[in-house]
Amino acid sequence: MTVAVVRLHDASMRFGARTLFEHLDLDLEAGEFLAVLGPNGAGKTTLLQILLGLTRLSEGVVEIDGRPPRRGSHDVGYVPQQRAFDRDLPIRGRDLVRFGLDGHRRGLPFGSAATRVRVDAAIRSVGAERYADAPVGLLSGGEQQRLRIAQALIGDPTVLLCDEPLLSLDLSHQQEVSELIDARRRDTGCSVVFVTHEINPILPYVDRVLYLAGGKCAVGAPDEVLTSEGLSALYGTEIDVLNVRGRIIVVGSDDAAPTEPGGHHHHHHDHHGAGSH
């Protein structure tokens, strides 16, 4: 019997009287790509904090590789939300990547040849050689995001947690970052938990979807969960799911055809009719 890389059993998370989710059962296998979707405030980032060992469940069991999550574990790689670096920050791209190693592998001396080899390999794996020695604050959002992914992967994690890694990237960079993460999963068999508002760039890679909304949750293949009936039940109001030339568009009850800037249709959560605030 294989041990699930990520296991949540009867997991519930509450803050005071507010329930983010309850009775969540999920076994994530090695190499599986899970998309975590839902409106703002539904508990997506909190779920990642639980898997990182930073927040405890209100009830239930959570395990990574058969053990409770531990802060700083090298079994878990983490790509945080995109935030711009200060333009004057005096660290280079390769320094940022190295922090992923120095954070929890105290055995390797800082600046050792072994460390440099690992850093160079991680930078190559994300195609960031060209700007690895540039100050990170001067790089584009897409370039910074590649370096953050290299930082998350340098410890050879068994599970990669991504918190909205496509945020504020243009469409071509969204596709590049999504392909990069999927390639790593196929090469190494690491599992991916990918929190996003945008299902479309990752839809070709996703095995299952976890959808959180209104204190409830649903898990299944994208075409099982992303249905008008399924999402209407989760939100408690009428939601339409449209499939337009292979792209999924989620439309709330009083929302017209939602588009992002530039006219690209995206997976879109209605922030009016779907009660997301």
Side-chain angles (χ1 to χ4, degrees):
M1 233 178 77
T2 58
V3 176
V5 175
V6 175
R7 177 170 180 257
L8 288 153
H9 177 63
D10 203 20
S12 299
M13 191 69 206
R14 297 185 186 88
F15 287 115
R18 189 161 154 261
T19 298
L20 290 182
F21 54 84
E22 57 186 355
H23 309 307
L24 170 58
D25 287 311
L26 174 71
D27 282 352
L28 195 67
E29 302 301 328
E32 195 172 359
F33 196 126
L34 177 78
V36 183
L37 305 173
N40 289 334
K44 303 186 298 290
T45 294
T46 302
L47 178 65
L48 295 189
Q49 289 170 345
I50 290 163
L51 297 177
L52 286 164
L54 303 177
T55 300
R56 295 173 71 103
L57 282 171
S58 303
E59 290 161 27
V61 175
V62 56
E63 293 175 342
I64 306 268
D65 282 334
R67 295 186 298 274
R70 300 190 317 284
R71 259 176 201 246
S73 163
H74 61 257
D75 294 331
V76 178
Y78 175 57
V79 181
Q81 285 191 13
Q82 170 84 357
R83 284 191 180 81
F85 290 106
D86 188 321
R87 290 184 64 80
D88 301 324
L89 192 67
I91 68 166
R92 300 167 302 163
R94 68 174 57 254
D95 301 325
L96 182 70
V97 174
R98 195 185 62 225
F99 294 151
L101 203 55
D102 301 327
H104 50 242
R105 289 180 188 262
R106 296 184 179 84
L108 285 175
F110 200 71
S112 71
T115 299
R116 282 198 299 276
V117 168
R118 294 286 290 275
V119 169
D120 286 343
I123 288 167
R124 264 198 315 280
S125 76
V126 300
E129 301 97 320
R130 192 169 46 79
Y131 43 84
D133 291 301
V136 290
L138 302 182
L139 299 178
S140 73
E143 290 166 345
Q144 291 177 2
Q145 210 53 334
R146 280 175 179 262
L147 291 165
R148 283 193 178 92
I149 293 166
Q151 183 194 67
L153 295 175
I154 196 168
D156 285 329
T158 53
V159 58
L160 182 63
L161 306 178
C162 304
D163 192 2
E164 306 231 22
L166 308 182
L167 213 59
S168 75
L169 296 182
D170 64 33
L171 202 59
S172 68
H173 281 121
Q174 286 182 356
Q175 288 167 337
E176 282 177 21
V177 166
S178 303
E179 283 169 14
L180 191 63
I181 289 169
D182 182 63
R184 176 65 177 214
R185 163 182 83 130
R186 283 182 282 115
D187 290 346
T188 66
C190 81
S191 306
V192 176
V193 178
F194 197 107
V195 167
T196 182
H197 272 95
E198 296 286 346
I199 185 66
N200 288 308
I202 60 169
L203 199 54
Y205 317 121
V206 170
D207 298 306
R208 280 192 294 167
V209 167
L210 165 60
Y211 205 109
L212 302 173
K216 300 194 278 282
C217 52
V219 183
D223 56 0
E224 293 169 358
V225 175
L226 300 176
T227 65
S228 301
E229 302 75 27
L231 295 194
S232 296
L234 279 179
Y235 278 99
T237 186
E238 203 155 312
I239 303 286
D240 290 312
V241 178
L242 313 177
N243 193 319
V244 180
R245 295 193 299 279
R247 296 178 74 72
I248 289 175
I249 304 169
V250 177
V251 187
S253 53
D254 60 358
D255 211 355
T259 59
E260 296 291 324
H264 297 295
H265 283 283
H266 285 312
H267 178 221
H268 178 100
H269 296 292
D270 168 38
H271 294 291
H272 318 294
S276 60
H277 293 301

